[in-house]
């Protein structure tokens, strides 16, 4: 049975079943990725930024007439933000090639169309069955990043300590667990806004307005995702010259997610990028003793950041692709007789 589903009111058994399906998908498609945990999973699925909405459907074994619904075979949610719906589909490996994934996408696409949105986007991991699935539905590849993973057990900590002190005179580097202090929020937002059109190649969430930034940090905390920030401050002006963000999710605390790393154009060439990323890893080593890996995403054309990551010990892992499709065309295709 497929039905609209709300993680806020779902039973604990349903949340646990969804987790089992998610981990079965990871084991089949990304076997090197750590399994997820149930910690704050309900909050991860339900909490969104102000002005955004999340709609979900679940496919479960059984039917209401047979009593309580059983194992979750599939799940789809769409996050409505701005002028696009962002799709995510999970189908248990045992239920693939049955048409279930297509049915779930049809439900989500119809709703997105009814809500007046014009396009749907989705992140697709390279070298997984999702590539063929979405391309067969008419999705077009818009953007490609490289995911790289750092194994902390292989880090040369002495070399990293030297990198962390390699910033030129006139800058200081500060560690901000939980987020930047309020008196630096405006400067922090200005630094991000100044480079939002530069090819820093990050698909991770980013906010450029001070209030939006506060909301973003608050949402991360509510979702069980702990942000860590390292800032490079220009001594003469007090401006944020560079920043790097890492988030440690309660759902997979052994592997952290790198978000934005930014160095303002006028402050480049002073060793800031290496220093702030090295300082971040040194701080995480003590702040998150359970952490064993950090993953980051970069545009393939962003050679400077890829070089920095390689010096820190990151190793390329997978292509991470953005696909999109016109909603009306997708609905038409999915509703056409096969």
């Amino acid at each position: 049975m497929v039905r609209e589903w709300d993680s806020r009111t779902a039973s604990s058994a349903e949340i646990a079943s969804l987790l089992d399906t998610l981990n079965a998908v990871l084991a089949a498609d990304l076997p090197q990725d750590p399994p997820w945990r149930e910690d704050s999973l309900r909050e991860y699925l339900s909490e969104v930024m102000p002005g955004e909405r999340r709609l979900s459907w679940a496919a479960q074994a059984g039917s209401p007439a047979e009593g309580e619904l059983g194992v979750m075979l599939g799940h789809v949610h769409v996050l409505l933000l701005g002028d696009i719906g962002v799709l995510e589909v999970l189908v248990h490996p045992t239920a693939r090639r049955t048409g279930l994934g297509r049915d779930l996408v049809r439900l989500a696409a119809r709703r997105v169309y009814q809500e007046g949105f014009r396009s749907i986007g989705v992140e697709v991991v390279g070298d997984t069955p999702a590539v063929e699935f979405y391309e067969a539905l008419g999705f077009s590849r818009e953007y490609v990043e490289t995911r790289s993973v750092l194994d902390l057990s292989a880090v040369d900590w002495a070399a990293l300590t030297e990198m962390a002190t390699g910033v030129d005179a006139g800058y200081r580097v500060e560690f901000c667990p939980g987020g930047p202090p309020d008196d630096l929020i405006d400067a922090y937002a200005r630094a991000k806004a100044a480079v939002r059109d530069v090819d820093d190649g990050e698909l991770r969430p980013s906010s450029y307005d001070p209030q939006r930034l506060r909301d973003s940090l608050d949402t991360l905390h509510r979702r069980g995702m702990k942000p860590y920030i390292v800032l490079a401050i220009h001594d003469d002006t007090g401006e944020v010259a560079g920043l790097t963000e890492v988030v440690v999710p309660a759902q997979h605390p052994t592997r952290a997610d790198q978000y934005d790393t930014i160095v303002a154009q006028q402050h480049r060439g002073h060793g800031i990028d290496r220093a702030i990323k090295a300082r971040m890893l040194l701080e995480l080593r003590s702040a998150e003793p359970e952490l064993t890996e950090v993953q980051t995403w970069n545009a393939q054309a962003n050679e400077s950041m890829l070089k920095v990551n390689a010096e820190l010990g990151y190793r390329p892992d997978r292509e991470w692709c953005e696909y999109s499709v016109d909603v009306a065309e997708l609905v038409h295709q999915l509703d056409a007789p096969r």
Side-chain angles (χ1 to χ4, degrees):
M1 176 185 175
V2 179
R3 63 188 177 94
E4 195 158 349
W5 189 80
D6 189 338
S7 58
R8 295 169 297 181
T9 57
S11 69
S12 297
E14 288 175 333
I15 296 292
S17 185
L18 175 59
L19 177 64
D20 289 343
T21 294
L22 169 61
N23 282 329
V25 169
L26 286 175
D29 297 344
L30 293 166
Q32 303 305 314
D33 282 27
W36 282 41
R37 303 177 183 178
E38 198 167 340
D39 303 53
S40 298
L41 182 58
R42 185 188 302 274
E43 291 75 16
Y44 177 86
L45 294 168
S46 58
E47 296 290 345
V48 297
M49 290 275 287
E52 298 176 357
R53 288 183 294 140
R54 189 188 304 271
L55 304 172
S56 301
W57 291 262
Q60 292 173 267
S63 69
E66 299 170 350
E68 186 174 346
L69 292 170
V71 174
M72 191 170 292
L73 300 174
H75 178 264
V76 59
H77 73 243
V78 60
L79 180 65
L80 302 176
L81 68 162
D83 59 355
I84 191 171
V86 179
L87 188 69
E88 186 170 339
V89 180
L90 289 175
V91 175
H92 197 284
T94 61
R96 289 177 175 174
R97 300 193 178 278
T98 65
L100 177 58
R102 184 183 178 93
D103 290 343
L104 291 171
V105 173
R106 180 189 294 112
L107 283 169
R110 283 175 176 170
R111 178 65 65 84
V112 171
Y113 180 73
Q114 292 165 3
E115 295 273 354
F117 289 77
R118 299 184 62 180
S119 62
I120 287 180
V122 63
E123 283 191 345
V124 181
V125 183
D127 196 28
T128 67
V131 175
E132 179 183 355
F133 173 74
Y134 286 108
E135 289 182 351
L137 293 179
F139 283 76
S140 298
R141 184 179 296 195
E142 303 289 344
Y143 189 76
V144 181
E145 290 189 313
T146 297
R147 183 179 78 166
S148 299
V149 178
L150 174 65
D151 178 357
L152 295 180
S153 69
V155 167
D156 183 339
W157 293 104
L160 205 70
T161 301
E162 186 174 346
M163 287 185 198
T165 60
V167 65
D168 287 351
Y171 298 92
R172 67 182 187 276
V173 176
E174 297 185 2
F175 176 58
C176 307
D182 199 64
D183 62 342
L184 284 175
I185 285 283
D186 287 356
Y188 188 93
R190 283 195 298 272
K192 299 189 80 168
V195 296
R196 62 186 171 193
D197 296 323
V198 176
D199 58 341
D200 46 358
E202 298 287 355
L203 280 179
R204 306 310 96 203
S206 189
S207 299
Y208 309 107
D209 171 79
Q211 185 54 51
R212 183 85 174 158
L213 184 55
R214 291 184 179 93
D215 291 339
S216 177
L217 291 165
D218 178 61
T219 302
L220 284 172
H221 285 289
R222 288 187 285 110
R223 298 183 79 199
M225 305 169 76
K226 190 184 303 181
Y228 291 94
I229 314 293
V230 172
L231 304 177
I233 309 296
H234 186 227
D235 290 333
D236 288 347
T237 63
E239 287 295 301
V240 173
L243 61 95
T244 190
E245 308 162 332
V246 167
V247 171
V248 180
Q251 299 81 19
H252 53 89
T254 63
R255 180 180 285 191
D257 299 327
Q258 174 80 58
Y259 280 28
D260 283 345
T261 296
I262 288 169
V263 179
Q265 190 77 34
Q266 67 272 28
H267 297 289
R268 294 179 181 178
H270 295 282
I272 291 173
D273 46 6
R274 288 174 182 79
I276 58 178
K277 295 197 79 167
R279 173 69 179 276
M280 174 67 80
L281 294 172
L282 290 168
E283 296 288 357
L284 288 174
R285 188 186 188 190
S286 57
E288 294 286 341
E290 196 174 356
L291 192 65
T292 61
E293 298 173 308
V294 181
Q295 58 187 1
T296 187
W297 295 260
N298 295 100
Q300 295 175 338
N302 191 353
E303 294 180 3
S304 61
M305 191 56 68
L306 289 171
K307 181 180 178 182
V308 169
N309 287 339
E311 291 174 0
L312 293 169
Y314 284 89
R315 295 292 177 263
D317 173 51
R318 295 269 186 150
E319 284 191 345
W320 222 262
C321 313
E322 277 192 336
Y323 280 74
S324 68
V325 69
D326 180 86
V327 175
E329 293 179 3
L330 178 61
V331 171
H332 177 73
Q333 176 179 336
L334 291 169
D335 284 344
R338 299 184 66 183

